[in-house]
PDB file of all heavy atoms in Angstrom:
ATOM      1  N   GLN A   1     -18.612  -6.361  -8.101  1.00 96.00           N
ATOM      2  CA  GLN A   1     -18.917  -4.986  -8.018  1.00 96.00           C
ATOM      3  C   GLN A   1     -18.982  -4.202  -9.367  1.00 96.00           C
ATOM      4  O   GLN A   1     -18.343  -4.685 -10.346  1.00 96.00           O
ATOM      5  CB  GLN A   1     -17.847  -4.349  -7.207  1.00 96.00           C
ATOM      6  CG  GLN A   1     -17.782  -4.794  -5.691  1.00 96.00           C
ATOM      7  CD  GLN A   1     -18.948  -4.272  -4.912  1.00 96.00           C
ATOM      8  OE1 GLN A   1     -19.713  -3.468  -5.225  1.00 96.00           O
ATOM      9  NE2 GLN A   1     -18.839  -4.664  -3.573  1.00 96.00           N
ATOM     10  N   LYS A   2     -19.707  -3.156  -9.492  1.00 94.00           N
ATOM     11  CA  LYS A   2     -19.669  -2.289 -10.617  1.00 94.00           C
ATOM     12  C   LYS A   2     -18.373  -1.669 -10.830  1.00 94.00           C
ATOM     13  O   LYS A   2     -17.473  -1.487  -9.886  1.00 94.00           O
ATOM     14  CB  LYS A   2     -20.902  -1.345 -10.535  1.00 94.00           C
ATOM     15  CG  LYS A   2     -20.842  -0.442  -9.521  1.00 94.00           C
ATOM     16  CD  LYS A   2     -22.074   0.422  -9.373  1.00 94.00           C
ATOM     17  CE  LYS A   2     -22.008   1.438  -8.217  1.00 94.00           C
ATOM     18  NZ  LYS A   2     -23.277   2.262  -8.236  1.00 94.00           N
ATOM     19  N   ALA A   3     -18.109  -1.245 -12.063  1.00 92.00           N
ATOM     20  CA  ALA A   3     -16.826  -0.631 -12.416  1.00 92.00           C
ATOM     21  C   ALA A   3     -16.455   0.562 -11.533  1.00 92.00           C
ATOM     22  O   ALA A   3     -15.300   0.907 -11.421  1.00 92.00           O
ATOM     23  CB  ALA A   3     -16.809  -0.277 -13.897  1.00 92.00           C
ATOM     24  N   SER A   4     -17.360   1.280 -11.126  1.00 95.00           N
ATOM     25  CA  SER A   4     -17.010   2.497 -10.359  1.00 95.00           C
ATOM     26  C   SER A   4     -16.679   2.216  -8.871  1.00 95.00           C
ATOM     27  O   SER A   4     -16.225   3.077  -8.120  1.00 95.00           O
ATOM     28  CB  SER A   4     -18.264   3.498 -10.341  1.00 95.00           C
ATOM     29  OG  SER A   4     -19.412   2.901  -9.801  1.00 95.00           O
ATOM     30  N   VAL A   5     -16.896   0.873  -8.585  1.00 97.00           N
ATOM     31  CA  VAL A   5     -16.577   0.425  -7.101  1.00 97.00           C
ATOM     32  C   VAL A   5     -15.385  -0.523  -7.201  1.00 97.00           C
ATOM     33  O   VAL A   5     -14.384  -0.239  -6.539  1.00 97.00           O
ATOM     34  CB  VAL A   5     -17.788  -0.181  -6.486  1.00 97.00           C
ATOM     35  CG1 VAL A   5     -17.535  -0.688  -5.060  1.00 97.00           C
ATOM     36  CG2 VAL A   5     -18.922   0.864  -6.405  1.00 97.00           C
ATOM     37  N   THR A   6     -15.556  -1.653  -7.808  1.00 97.00           N
ATOM     38  CA  THR A   6     -14.553  -2.695  -7.955  1.00 97.00           C
ATOM     39  C   THR A   6     -14.226  -3.445  -6.624  1.00 97.00           C
ATOM     40  O   THR A   6     -14.477  -2.908  -5.464  1.00 97.00           O
ATOM     41  CB  THR A   6     -13.227  -2.310  -8.622  1.00 97.00           C
ATOM     42  OG1 THR A   6     -12.510  -1.623  -7.660  1.00 97.00           O
ATOM     43  CG2 THR A   6     -13.524  -1.411  -9.867  1.00 97.00           C
ATOM     44  N   SER A   7     -13.678  -4.589  -6.792  1.00 97.00           N
ATOM     45  CA  SER A   7     -13.208  -5.394  -5.682  1.00 97.00           C
ATOM     46  C   SER A   7     -11.714  -5.442  -5.524  1.00 97.00           C
ATOM     47  O   SER A   7     -11.187  -6.120  -4.746  1.00 97.00           O
ATOM     48  CB  SER A   7     -13.744  -6.829  -5.774  1.00 97.00           C
ATOM     49  OG  SER A   7     -15.241  -6.854  -5.815  1.00 97.00           O
ATOM     50  N   GLY A   8     -11.001  -4.750  -6.508  1.00 97.00           N
ATOM     51  CA  GLY A   8      -9.578  -4.873  -6.470  1.00 97.00           C
ATOM     52  C   GLY A   8      -8.854  -3.594  -6.440  1.00 97.00           C
ATOM     53  O   GLY A   8      -9.449  -2.475  -6.530  1.00 97.00           O
ATOM     54  N   LEU A   9      -7.498  -3.742  -6.314  1.00 98.00           N
ATOM     55  CA  LEU A   9      -6.605  -2.558  -6.276  1.00 98.00           C
ATOM     56  C   LEU A   9      -5.443  -2.903  -7.048  1.00 98.00           C
ATOM     57  O   LEU A   9      -4.846  -4.020  -6.919  1.00 98.00           O
ATOM     58  CB  LEU A   9      -6.142  -2.267  -4.746  1.00 98.00           C
ATOM     59  CG  LEU A   9      -5.383  -0.913  -4.593  1.00 98.00           C
ATOM     60  CD1 LEU A   9      -6.341   0.239  -4.574  1.00 98.00           C
ATOM     61  CD2 LEU A   9      -4.575  -1.027  -3.259  1.00 98.00           C
ATOM     62  N   ARG A  10      -5.000  -2.126  -7.984  1.00 98.00           N
ATOM     63  CA  ARG A  10      -3.790  -2.297  -8.839  1.00 98.00           C
ATOM     64  C   ARG A  10      -2.679  -1.500  -8.157  1.00 98.00           C
ATOM     65  O   ARG A  10      -2.814  -0.319  -7.927  1.00 98.00           O
ATOM     66  CB  ARG A  10      -4.101  -1.983 -10.224  1.00 98.00           C
ATOM     67  CG  ARG A  10      -3.048  -2.249 -11.192  1.00 98.00           C
ATOM     68  CD  ARG A  10      -3.171  -1.811 -12.549  1.00 98.00           C
ATOM     69  NE  ARG A  10      -3.164  -0.326 -12.643  1.00 98.00           N
ATOM     70  CZ  ARG A  10      -3.194   0.439 -13.793  1.00 98.00           C
ATOM     71  NH1 ARG A  10      -3.216  -0.183 -14.933  1.00 98.00           N
ATOM     72  NH2 ARG A  10      -3.207   1.794 -13.729  1.00 98.00           N
ATOM     73  N   VAL A  11      -1.497  -2.203  -7.970  1.00 98.00           N
ATOM     74  CA  VAL A  11      -0.383  -1.479  -7.448  1.00 98.00           C
ATOM     75  C   VAL A  11       0.858  -1.813  -8.318  1.00 98.00           C
ATOM     76  O   VAL A  11       1.011  -2.917  -8.822  1.00 98.00           O
ATOM     77  CB  VAL A  11      -0.038  -1.920  -6.079  1.00 98.00           C
ATOM     78  CG1 VAL A  11      -1.110  -1.404  -5.080  1.00 98.00           C
ATOM     79  CG2 VAL A  11       0.129  -3.420  -5.839  1.00 98.00           C
ATOM     80  N   GLY A  12       1.679  -0.807  -8.605  1.00 98.00           N
ATOM     81  CA  GLY A  12       2.892  -1.058  -9.444  1.00 98.00           C
ATOM     82  C   GLY A  12       4.104  -0.274  -8.841  1.00 98.00           C
ATOM     83  O   GLY A  12       3.989   0.644  -8.087  1.00 98.00           O
ATOM     84  N   THR A  13       5.237  -0.616  -9.436  1.00 98.00           N
ATOM     85  CA  THR A  13       6.501  -0.107  -8.791  1.00 98.00           C
ATOM     86  C   THR A  13       7.394   0.765  -9.705  1.00 98.00           C
ATOM     87  O   THR A  13       8.562   1.155  -9.326  1.00 98.00           O
ATOM     88  CB  THR A  13       7.363  -1.265  -8.390  1.00 98.00           C
ATOM     89  OG1 THR A  13       7.571  -2.242  -9.457  1.00 98.00           O
ATOM     90  CG2 THR A  13       6.708  -2.036  -7.265  1.00 98.00           C
ATOM     91  N   PRO A  14       7.003   1.157 -10.945  1.00 98.00           N
ATOM     92  CA  PRO A  14       7.936   2.055 -11.736  1.00 98.00           C
ATOM     93  C   PRO A  14       8.259   3.315 -11.059  1.00 98.00           C
ATOM     94  O   PRO A  14       9.388   3.634 -11.075  1.00 98.00           O
ATOM     95  CB  PRO A  14       7.026   2.273 -12.986  1.00 98.00           C
ATOM     96  CG  PRO A  14       6.103   1.047 -13.156  1.00 98.00           C
ATOM     97  CD  PRO A  14       5.737   0.740 -11.735  1.00 98.00           C
ATOM     98  N   ALA A  15       7.291   4.026 -10.479  1.00 98.00           N
ATOM     99  CA  ALA A  15       7.566   5.416  -9.878  1.00 98.00           C
ATOM    100  C   ALA A  15       8.414   5.294  -8.628  1.00 98.00           C
ATOM    101  O   ALA A  15       9.353   6.046  -8.492  1.00 98.00           O
ATOM    102  CB  ALA A  15       6.232   6.212  -9.718  1.00 98.00           C
ATOM    103  N   VAL A  16       8.081   4.425  -7.785  1.00 98.00           N
ATOM    104  CA  VAL A  16       8.821   4.302  -6.523  1.00 98.00           C
ATOM    105  C   VAL A  16      10.214   3.780  -6.800  1.00 98.00           C
ATOM    106  O   VAL A  16      11.142   4.181  -6.056  1.00 98.00           O
ATOM    107  CB  VAL A  16       8.116   3.420  -5.456  1.00 98.00           C
ATOM    108  CG1 VAL A  16       6.881   4.080  -4.926  1.00 98.00           C
ATOM    109  CG2 VAL A  16       7.755   2.033  -6.046  1.00 98.00           C
ATOM    110  N   THR A  17      10.360   3.003  -7.836  1.00 98.00           N
ATOM    111  CA  THR A  17      11.651   2.517  -8.140  1.00 98.00           C
ATOM    112  C   THR A  17      12.592   3.659  -8.737  1.00 98.00           C
ATOM    113  O   THR A  17      13.744   3.785  -8.490  1.00 98.00           O
ATOM    114  CB  THR A  17      11.657   1.427  -9.195  1.00 98.00           C
ATOM    115  OG1 THR A  17      10.876   0.315  -8.554  1.00 98.00           O
ATOM    116  CG2 THR A  17      13.089   0.888  -9.428  1.00 98.00           C
ATOM    117  N   THR A  18      11.809   4.539  -9.524  1.00 98.00           N
ATOM    118  CA  THR A  18      12.649   5.728  -9.968  1.00 98.00           C
ATOM    119  C   THR A  18      13.125   6.569  -8.809  1.00 98.00           C
ATOM    120  O   THR A  18      14.160   7.215  -8.833  1.00 98.00           O
ATOM    121  CB  THR A  18      11.645   6.569 -10.790  1.00 98.00           C
ATOM    122  OG1 THR A  18      11.433   5.900 -12.071  1.00 98.00           O
ATOM    123  CG2 THR A  18      12.319   7.884 -11.230  1.00 98.00           C
ATOM    124  N   ARG A  19      12.336   6.681  -7.737  1.00 98.00           N
ATOM    125  CA  ARG A  19      12.706   7.417  -6.584  1.00 98.00           C
ATOM    126  C   ARG A  19      13.885   6.803  -5.802  1.00 98.00           C
ATOM    127  O   ARG A  19      14.457   7.410  -4.966  1.00 98.00           O
ATOM    128  CB  ARG A  19      11.527   7.528  -5.611  1.00 98.00           C
ATOM    129  CG  ARG A  19      10.367   8.321  -6.057  1.00 98.00           C
ATOM    130  CD  ARG A  19       9.348   8.557  -4.996  1.00 98.00           C
ATOM    131  NE  ARG A  19       9.807   9.646  -4.021  1.00 98.00           N
ATOM    132  CZ  ARG A  19       9.032  10.532  -3.406  1.00 98.00           C
ATOM    133  NH1 ARG A  19       7.744  10.577  -3.699  1.00 98.00           N
ATOM    134  NH2 ARG A  19       9.514  11.356  -2.696  1.00 98.00           N
ATOM    135  N   GLY A  20      14.009   5.499  -5.982  1.00 98.00           N
ATOM    136  CA  GLY A  20      15.142   4.754  -5.327  1.00 98.00           C
ATOM    137  C   GLY A  20      14.652   3.800  -4.257  1.00 98.00           C
ATOM    138  O   GLY A  20      15.495   3.270  -3.495  1.00 98.00           O
ATOM    139  N   PHE A  21      13.359   3.559  -4.147  1.00 98.00           N
ATOM    140  CA  PHE A  21      12.794   2.563  -3.192  1.00 98.00           C
ATOM    141  C   PHE A  21      13.560   1.226  -3.600  1.00 98.00           C
ATOM    142  O   PHE A  21      13.733   0.880  -4.662  1.00 98.00           O
ATOM    143  CB  PHE A  21      11.408   2.393  -3.301  1.00 98.00           C
ATOM    144  CG  PHE A  21      10.582   3.468  -2.632  1.00 98.00           C
ATOM    145  CD1 PHE A  21      10.960   4.787  -2.776  1.00 98.00           C
ATOM    146  CD2 PHE A  21       9.433   3.148  -1.968  1.00 98.00           C
ATOM    147  CE1 PHE A  21      10.193   5.767  -2.060  1.00 98.00           C
ATOM    148  CE2 PHE A  21       8.691   4.104  -1.235  1.00 98.00           C
ATOM    149  CZ  PHE A  21       9.058   5.472  -1.261  1.00 98.00           C
ATOM    150  N   ASN A  22      13.847   0.457  -2.484  1.00 98.00           N
ATOM    151  CA  ASN A  22      14.371  -0.913  -2.611  1.00 98.00           C
ATOM    152  C   ASN A  22      13.484  -1.959  -2.126  1.00 98.00           C
ATOM    153  O   ASN A  22      12.365  -1.618  -1.701  1.00 98.00           O
ATOM    154  CB  ASN A  22      15.750  -0.978  -1.989  1.00 98.00           C
ATOM    155  CG  ASN A  22      15.732  -0.627  -0.504  1.00 98.00           C
ATOM    156  OD1 ASN A  22      14.814  -0.864   0.167  1.00 98.00           O
ATOM    157  ND2 ASN A  22      16.832  -0.105   0.061  1.00 98.00           N
ATOM    158  N   GLU A  23      13.947  -3.176  -2.073  1.00 98.00           N
ATOM    159  CA  GLU A  23      13.106  -4.294  -1.668  1.00 98.00           C
ATOM    160  C   GLU A  23      12.645  -4.150  -0.253  1.00 98.00           C
ATOM    161  O   GLU A  23      11.466  -4.430   0.148  1.00 98.00           O
ATOM    162  CB  GLU A  23      13.692  -5.623  -1.916  1.00 98.00           C
ATOM    163  CG  GLU A  23      13.857  -5.888  -3.442  1.00 98.00           C
ATOM    164  CD  GLU A  23      14.787  -6.931  -3.743  1.00 98.00           C
ATOM    165  OE1 GLU A  23      14.538  -8.100  -3.796  1.00 98.00           O
ATOM    166  OE2 GLU A  23      16.079  -6.638  -4.142  1.00 98.00           O
ATOM    167  N   ASP A  24      13.458  -3.674   0.659  1.00 98.00           N
ATOM    168  CA  ASP A  24      13.097  -3.406   2.021  1.00 98.00           C
ATOM    169  C   ASP A  24      11.983  -2.392   2.061  1.00 98.00           C
ATOM    170  O   ASP A  24      11.045  -2.533   2.887  1.00 98.00           O
ATOM    171  CB  ASP A  24      14.296  -3.026   2.856  1.00 98.00           C
ATOM    172  CG  ASP A  24      15.236  -4.196   3.118  1.00 98.00           C
ATOM    173  OD1 ASP A  24      14.811  -5.338   3.050  1.00 98.00           O
ATOM    174  OD2 ASP A  24      16.415  -3.948   3.472  1.00 98.00           O
ATOM    175  N   ASP A  25      12.174  -1.308   1.265  1.00 98.00           N
ATOM    176  CA  ASP A  25      11.139  -0.266   1.233  1.00 98.00           C
ATOM    177  C   ASP A  25       9.816  -0.781   0.859  1.00 98.00           C
ATOM    178  O   ASP A  25       8.735  -0.425   1.428  1.00 98.00           O
ATOM    179  CB  ASP A  25      11.605   0.894   0.298  1.00 98.00           C
ATOM    180  CG  ASP A  25      12.820   1.570   0.856  1.00 98.00           C
ATOM    181  OD1 ASP A  25      12.923   1.808   2.075  1.00 98.00           O
ATOM    182  OD2 ASP A  25      13.647   1.950  -0.050  1.00 98.00           O
ATOM    183  N   MET A  26       9.826  -1.719  -0.073  1.00 98.00           N
ATOM    184  CA  MET A  26       8.573  -2.345  -0.523  1.00 98.00           C
ATOM    185  C   MET A  26       7.942  -3.143   0.493  1.00 98.00           C
ATOM    186  O   MET A  26       6.688  -3.176   0.500  1.00 98.00           O
ATOM    187  CB  MET A  26       8.871  -3.089  -1.863  1.00 98.00           C
ATOM    188  CG  MET A  26       9.386  -2.355  -3.117  1.00 98.00           C
ATOM    189  SD  MET A  26       8.790  -0.725  -3.242  1.00 98.00           S
ATOM    190  CE  MET A  26       6.973  -0.979  -3.490  1.00 98.00           C
ATOM    191  N   ARG A  27       8.700  -3.782   1.261  1.00 98.00           N
ATOM    192  CA  ARG A  27       8.086  -4.550   2.470  1.00 98.00           C
ATOM    193  C   ARG A  27       7.351  -3.571   3.344  1.00 98.00           C
ATOM    194  O   ARG A  27       6.329  -3.920   3.987  1.00 98.00           O
ATOM    195  CB  ARG A  27       9.157  -5.440   3.067  1.00 98.00           C
ATOM    196  CG  ARG A  27       9.503  -6.709   2.202  1.00 98.00           C
ATOM    197  CD  ARG A  27      10.474  -7.564   2.922  1.00 98.00           C
ATOM    198  NE  ARG A  27      11.816  -7.189   2.674  1.00 98.00           N
ATOM    199  CZ  ARG A  27      12.573  -7.705   1.611  1.00 98.00           C
ATOM    200  NH1 ARG A  27      12.018  -8.390   0.758  1.00 98.00           N
ATOM    201  NH2 ARG A  27      13.792  -7.255   1.525  1.00 98.00           N
ATOM    202  N   GLU A  28       7.979  -2.433   3.606  1.00 98.00           N
ATOM    203  CA  GLU A  28       7.348  -1.379   4.486  1.00 98.00           C
ATOM    204  C   GLU A  28       6.111  -0.901   3.849  1.00 98.00           C
ATOM    205  O   GLU A  28       5.095  -0.689   4.481  1.00 98.00           O
ATOM    206  CB  GLU A  28       8.415  -0.196   4.655  1.00 98.00           C
ATOM    207  CG  GLU A  28       7.808   1.030   5.340  1.00 98.00           C
ATOM    208  CD  GLU A  28       7.545   0.816   6.803  1.00 98.00           C
ATOM    209  OE1 GLU A  28       7.533  -0.256   7.295  1.00 98.00           O
ATOM    210  OE2 GLU A  28       7.196   1.936   7.428  1.00 98.00           O
ATOM    211  N   VAL A  29       6.098  -0.707   2.508  1.00 98.00           N
ATOM    212  CA  VAL A  29       4.889  -0.295   1.793  1.00 98.00           C
ATOM    213  C   VAL A  29       3.839  -1.221   1.996  1.00 98.00           C
ATOM    214  O   VAL A  29       2.683  -0.889   2.215  1.00 98.00           O
ATOM    215  CB  VAL A  29       5.228   0.040   0.347  1.00 98.00           C
ATOM    216  CG1 VAL A  29       3.931   0.236  -0.461  1.00 98.00           C
ATOM    217  CG2 VAL A  29       6.180   1.217   0.173  1.00 98.00           C
ATOM    218  N   ALA A  30       4.119  -2.619   1.825  1.00 98.00           N
ATOM    219  CA  ALA A  30       3.158  -3.581   2.084  1.00 98.00           C
ATOM    220  C   ALA A  30       2.541  -3.530   3.463  1.00 98.00           C
ATOM    221  O   ALA A  30       1.263  -3.716   3.624  1.00 98.00           O
ATOM    222  CB  ALA A  30       3.806  -4.997   1.859  1.00 98.00           C
ATOM    223  N   GLU A  31       3.311  -3.234   4.422  1.00 98.00           N
ATOM    224  CA  GLU A  31       2.878  -3.132   5.858  1.00 98.00           C
ATOM    225  C   GLU A  31       1.866  -1.984   5.914  1.00 98.00           C
ATOM    226  O   GLU A  31       0.833  -2.034   6.582  1.00 98.00           O
ATOM    227  CB  GLU A  31       4.034  -3.021   6.826  1.00 98.00           C
ATOM    228  CG  GLU A  31       3.613  -2.647   8.198  1.00 98.00           C
ATOM    229  CD  GLU A  31       3.043  -3.697   8.980  1.00 98.00           C
ATOM    230  OE1 GLU A  31       3.060  -4.872   8.493  1.00 98.00           O
ATOM    231  OE2 GLU A  31       2.491  -3.423  10.086  1.00 98.00           O
ATOM    232  N   LEU A  32       2.201  -0.887   5.184  1.00 98.00           N
ATOM    233  CA  LEU A  32       1.332   0.276   5.311  1.00 98.00           C
ATOM    234  C   LEU A  32      -0.037   0.050   4.666  1.00 98.00           C
ATOM    235  O   LEU A  32      -1.015   0.467   5.027  1.00 98.00           O
ATOM    236  CB  LEU A  32       2.031   1.563   4.703  1.00 98.00           C
ATOM    237  CG  LEU A  32       3.409   1.887   5.416  1.00 98.00           C
ATOM    238  CD1 LEU A  32       3.994   3.123   4.750  1.00 98.00           C
ATOM    239  CD2 LEU A  32       3.195   2.277   6.937  1.00 98.00           C
ATOM    240  N   ILE A  33       0.124  -0.612   3.491  1.00 98.00           N
ATOM    241  CA  ILE A  33      -1.162  -0.991   2.828  1.00 98.00           C
ATOM    242  C   ILE A  33      -2.027  -1.949   3.626  1.00 98.00           C
ATOM    243  O   ILE A  33      -3.282  -1.739   3.820  1.00 98.00           O
ATOM    244  CB  ILE A  33      -0.933  -1.704   1.404  1.00 98.00           C
ATOM    245  CG1 ILE A  33      -0.214  -0.775   0.469  1.00 98.00           C
ATOM    246  CG2 ILE A  33      -2.146  -2.278   0.840  1.00 98.00           C
ATOM    247  CD1 ILE A  33       0.257  -1.436  -0.720  1.00 98.00           C
ATOM    248  N   TYR A  34      -1.313  -2.882   4.331  1.00 98.00           N
ATOM    249  CA  TYR A  34      -2.108  -3.799   5.308  1.00 98.00           C
ATOM    250  C   TYR A  34      -2.750  -2.855   6.365  1.00 98.00           C
ATOM    251  O   TYR A  34      -3.902  -3.246   6.776  1.00 98.00           O
ATOM    252  CB  TYR A  34      -1.143  -4.814   5.861  1.00 98.00           C
ATOM    253  CG  TYR A  34      -1.726  -5.701   6.969  1.00 98.00           C
ATOM    254  CD1 TYR A  34      -2.667  -6.656   6.706  1.00 98.00           C
ATOM    255  CD2 TYR A  34      -1.338  -5.500   8.305  1.00 98.00           C
ATOM    256  CE1 TYR A  34      -3.225  -7.374   7.678  1.00 98.00           C
ATOM    257  CE2 TYR A  34      -1.902  -6.180   9.327  1.00 98.00           C
ATOM    258  CZ  TYR A  34      -2.794  -7.183   9.041  1.00 98.00           C
ATOM    259  OH  TYR A  34      -3.372  -7.875  10.009  1.00 98.00           O
ATOM    260  N   LEU A  35      -1.992  -2.100   7.082  1.00 98.00           N
ATOM    261  CA  LEU A  35      -2.578  -1.287   8.111  1.00 98.00           C
ATOM    262  C   LEU A  35      -3.726  -0.430   7.674  1.00 98.00           C
ATOM    263  O   LEU A  35      -4.674  -0.220   8.405  1.00 98.00           O
ATOM    264  CB  LEU A  35      -1.436  -0.412   8.760  1.00 98.00           C
ATOM    265  CG  LEU A  35      -0.378  -1.150   9.608  1.00 98.00           C
ATOM    266  CD1 LEU A  35       0.718  -0.195   9.978  1.00 98.00           C
ATOM    267  CD2 LEU A  35      -0.973  -1.968  10.713  1.00 98.00           C
ATOM    268  N   THR A  36      -3.592   0.128   6.386  1.00 98.00           N
ATOM    269  CA  THR A  36      -4.709   0.875   5.861  1.00 98.00           C
ATOM    270  C   THR A  36      -5.928   0.119   5.638  1.00 98.00           C
ATOM    271  O   THR A  36      -7.002   0.511   5.854  1.00 98.00           O
ATOM    272  CB  THR A  36      -4.224   1.529   4.562  1.00 98.00           C
ATOM    273  OG1 THR A  36      -3.070   2.305   4.831  1.00 98.00           O
ATOM    274  CG2 THR A  36      -5.333   2.440   4.020  1.00 98.00           C
ATOM    275  N   ALA A  37      -5.808  -1.153   5.249  1.00 97.00           N
ATOM    276  CA  ALA A  37      -6.953  -2.066   5.047  1.00 97.00           C
ATOM    277  C   ALA A  37      -7.490  -2.568   6.352  1.00 97.00           C
ATOM    278  O   ALA A  37      -8.734  -2.767   6.433  1.00 97.00           O
ATOM    279  CB  ALA A  37      -6.505  -3.218   4.231  1.00 97.00           C
ATOM    280  N   SER A  38      -6.592  -2.815   7.356  1.00 97.00           N
ATOM    281  CA  SER A  38      -7.204  -3.474   8.554  1.00 97.00           C
ATOM    282  C   SER A  38      -7.282  -2.636   9.748  1.00 97.00           C
ATOM    283  O   SER A  38      -8.138  -2.950  10.671  1.00 97.00           O
ATOM    284  CB  SER A  38      -6.185  -4.657   8.845  1.00 97.00           C
ATOM    285  OG  SER A  38      -4.933  -4.230   9.187  1.00 97.00           O
ATOM    286  N   ARG A  39      -6.514  -1.666   9.935  1.00 97.00           N
ATOM    287  CA  ARG A  39      -6.570  -0.805  11.177  1.00 97.00           C
ATOM    288  C   ARG A  39      -6.464   0.723  10.937  1.00 97.00           C
ATOM    289  O   ARG A  39      -5.798   1.439  11.463  1.00 97.00           O
ATOM    290  CB  ARG A  39      -5.423  -1.204  12.044  1.00 97.00           C
ATOM    291  CG  ARG A  39      -5.395  -2.726  12.432  1.00 97.00           C
ATOM    292  CD  ARG A  39      -4.168  -3.094  13.179  1.00 97.00           C
ATOM    293  NE  ARG A  39      -3.979  -2.499  14.426  1.00 97.00           N
ATOM    294  CZ  ARG A  39      -2.854  -2.727  15.330  1.00 97.00           C
ATOM    295  NH1 ARG A  39      -1.865  -3.436  14.804  1.00 97.00           N
ATOM    296  NH2 ARG A  39      -2.860  -2.156  16.462  1.00 97.00           N
ATOM    297  N   TYR A  40      -7.254   1.090   9.904  1.00 97.00           N
ATOM    298  CA  TYR A  40      -7.233   2.459   9.334  1.00 97.00           C
ATOM    299  C   TYR A  40      -7.407   3.468  10.342  1.00 97.00           C
ATOM    300  O   TYR A  40      -6.659   4.431  10.508  1.00 97.00           O
ATOM    301  CB  TYR A  40      -8.211   2.594   8.111  1.00 97.00           C
ATOM    302  CG  TYR A  40      -8.325   3.980   7.610  1.00 97.00           C
ATOM    303  CD1 TYR A  40      -7.301   4.521   6.780  1.00 97.00           C
ATOM    304  CD2 TYR A  40      -9.477   4.672   7.734  1.00 97.00           C
ATOM    305  CE1 TYR A  40      -7.442   5.837   6.286  1.00 97.00           C
ATOM    306  CE2 TYR A  40      -9.662   5.994   7.255  1.00 97.00           C
ATOM    307  CZ  TYR A  40      -8.657   6.497   6.545  1.00 97.00           C
ATOM    308  OH  TYR A  40      -8.774   7.721   5.997  1.00 97.00           O
ATOM    309  N   ASP A  41      -8.539   3.380  11.057  1.00 96.00           N
ATOM    310  CA  ASP A  41      -8.908   4.476  12.030  1.00 96.00           C
ATOM    311  C   ASP A  41      -7.921   4.641  13.151  1.00 96.00           C
ATOM    312  O   ASP A  41      -7.549   5.725  13.517  1.00 96.00           O
ATOM    313  CB  ASP A  41     -10.267   4.157  12.642  1.00 96.00           C
ATOM    314  CG  ASP A  41     -11.480   4.315  11.532  1.00 96.00           C
ATOM    315  OD1 ASP A  41     -11.223   5.108  10.660  1.00 96.00           O
ATOM    316  OD2 ASP A  41     -12.427   3.561  11.700  1.00 96.00           O
ATOM    317  N   GLU A  42      -7.347   3.476  13.505  1.00 97.00           N
ATOM    318  CA  GLU A  42      -6.451   3.422  14.588  1.00 97.00           C
ATOM    319  C   GLU A  42      -5.090   3.921  14.222  1.00 97.00           C
ATOM    320  O   GLU A  42      -4.319   4.608  14.973  1.00 97.00           O
ATOM    321  CB  GLU A  42      -6.324   2.026  15.179  1.00 97.00           C
ATOM    322  CG  GLU A  42      -5.369   1.843  16.290  1.00 97.00           C
ATOM    323  CD  GLU A  42      -5.138   0.280  16.623  1.00 97.00           C
ATOM    324  OE1 GLU A  42      -5.930  -0.514  16.115  1.00 97.00           O
ATOM    325  OE2 GLU A  42      -4.264  -0.002  17.385  1.00 97.00           O
ATOM    326  N   LYS A  43      -4.617   3.540  12.990  1.00 98.00           N
ATOM    327  CA  LYS A  43      -3.214   3.716  12.535  1.00 98.00           C
ATOM    328  C   LYS A  43      -3.036   4.837  11.650  1.00 98.00           C
ATOM    329  O   LYS A  43      -1.846   5.065  11.121  1.00 98.00           O
ATOM    330  CB  LYS A  43      -2.747   2.417  12.055  1.00 98.00           C
ATOM    331  CG  LYS A  43      -2.643   1.262  13.003  1.00 98.00           C
ATOM    332  CD  LYS A  43      -1.484   1.484  14.031  1.00 98.00           C
ATOM    333  CE  LYS A  43      -1.203   0.340  14.896  1.00 98.00           C
ATOM    334  NZ  LYS A  43      -0.077   0.522  15.830  1.00 98.00           N
ATOM    335  N   LYS A  44      -4.043   5.632  11.225  1.00 98.00           N
ATOM    336  CA  LYS A  44      -3.938   6.558  10.147  1.00 98.00           C
ATOM    337  C   LYS A  44      -2.831   7.555  10.380  1.00 98.00           C
ATOM    338  O   LYS A  44      -1.984   7.732   9.369  1.00 98.00           O
ATOM    339  CB  LYS A  44      -5.253   7.328   9.943  1.00 98.00           C
ATOM    340  CG  LYS A  44      -5.203   8.400   8.904  1.00 98.00           C
ATOM    341  CD  LYS A  44      -6.585   9.086   8.758  1.00 98.00           C
ATOM    342  CE  LYS A  44      -6.465  10.173   7.651  1.00 98.00           C
ATOM    343  NZ  LYS A  44      -7.764  10.952   7.459  1.00 98.00           N
TER     344      LYS A  44
END
């Protein structure tokens, strides 16, 4: 893909860790990313 589109997504944890997110929270975040990718219209 061209640079304005891309095929990837970069994700990082500095800010959420500052907020106090823990490893269980990150697993919940992964689930939400998955639902956004796979069942967006249904689960928004």
Side-chain angles (χ1 to χ4, degrees):
Q1 298 283 359
K2 57 186 179 181
S4 60
V5 177
T6 79
S7 298
L9 188 81
R10 188 184 66 168
V11 293
T13 56
V16 289
T17 306
T18 294
R19 292 189 76 142
F21 280 43
N22 58 32
E23 291 162 84
D24 287 339
D25 295 322
M26 300 320 301
R27 285 185 274 273
E28 169 73 349
V29 170
E31 170 72 11
L32 298 179
I33 293 172
Y34 171 73
L35 292 175
T36 303
S38 62
R39 302 172 67 184
Y40 172 72
D41 292 329
E42 176 190 352
K43 294 289 187 177
K44 179 178 178 181

